[in-house]
Amino acid sequence: MKYIVSILFTVMTNAAAQLMLKQGMMSLGPISFEGSNPLLKLLQIVFSPWVFLGLCTFVISMAAHIYVLSKVELSFAYPFLSLAYVAVAIFAYFIFREDLNGWRIAGIAFICVGTVLIAQSGRDLGGRDLGGRDLDSRDLGGRDLSARGHDEETASLSSDKIQSGIVR
């Protein structure tokens, strides 16, 4: 639960990018590649202000998502991205006057309930980090202390103990 703010930042930047892309495409109007060089048309689209800003916001969103993935399980973080749909649907209703009918509202409610259930599942990783090691077995520098016990045990093996384990 400690990384929820980072996860929500990822969600909101993802949603903001979608809204910017929509604004950009509305300002450009319907796209047609007839009678024009497709590459030049694509560059015109990509470098239009709203589309370019939306793409840059996607880069920020993906950087935040990469950070989140370095801290929490993918199966916990990824479902939160569905909240971007919720944000987009609500903002699109207010900004672009898009339809928000009963079916969409029901879908949004299911997404929210599912996300809450997933968030509850991540409240406790069972005292383990993402590598499956006990959090208690790490020192302040993040080094795994349980490995030291294994090294000490291995170091205490005498040559006669090792010889008895060798097949002759």
Side-chain angles (χ1 to χ4, degrees), residues 40-120:
L40 290 177
K41 188 67 171 178
L42 184 62
L43 289 174
Q44 178 189 7
I45 294 167
V46 168
F47 288 106
S48 67
W50 281 108
V51 172
F52 187 75
L53 188 58
L55 293 173
C56 290
T57 305
F58 263 133
V59 170
I60 293 167
S61 179
M62 291 314 317
H65 189 62
I66 289 168
Y67 169 77
V68 166
L69 291 179
S70 75
K71 303 295 182 182
V72 300
E73 294 174 337
L74 176 62
S75 61
F76 176 74
Y78 188 70
F80 279 90
L81 292 180
S82 65
L83 291 177
Y85 172 77
V86 174
V88 166
I90 292 169
F91 284 114
Y93 173 79
F94 288 109
I95 296 170
F96 303 122
R97 302 289 180 224
E98 292 186 4
D99 187 34
L100 194 56
N101 59 36
W103 288 108
R104 288 185 185 178
I105 292 170
I108 287 169
F110 280 119
I111 290 170
C112 292
V113 167
T115 305
V116 166
L117 292 175
I118 290 166
Q120 293 301 314

Side-chain angles (χ1 to χ4, degrees), residues 98-168:
E98 292 186 4
D99 187 34
L100 194 56
N101 59 36
W103 288 108
R104 288 185 185 178
I105 292 170
I108 287 169
F110 280 119
I111 290 170
C112 292
V113 167
T115 305
V116 166
L117 292 175
I118 290 166
Q120 293 301 314
S121 75
R123 288 188 110 168
D124 180 26
L125 287 174
R128 298 185 158 303
D129 69 5
L130 292 178
R133 294 176 296 271
D134 289 335
L135 292 174
D136 304 12
S137 67
R138 299 181 78 75
D139 69 4
L140 294 176
R143 293 179 298 261
D144 191 355
L145 296 177
S146 63
R148 286 189 190 159
H150 176 70
D151 291 344
E152 290 169 4
E153 181 182 311
T154 305
S156 70
L157 292 175
S158 63
S159 61
D160 59 321
K161 289 182 185 175
I162 294 173
Q163 283 290 348
S164 65
I166 296 177
V167 178
R168 296 178 194 199

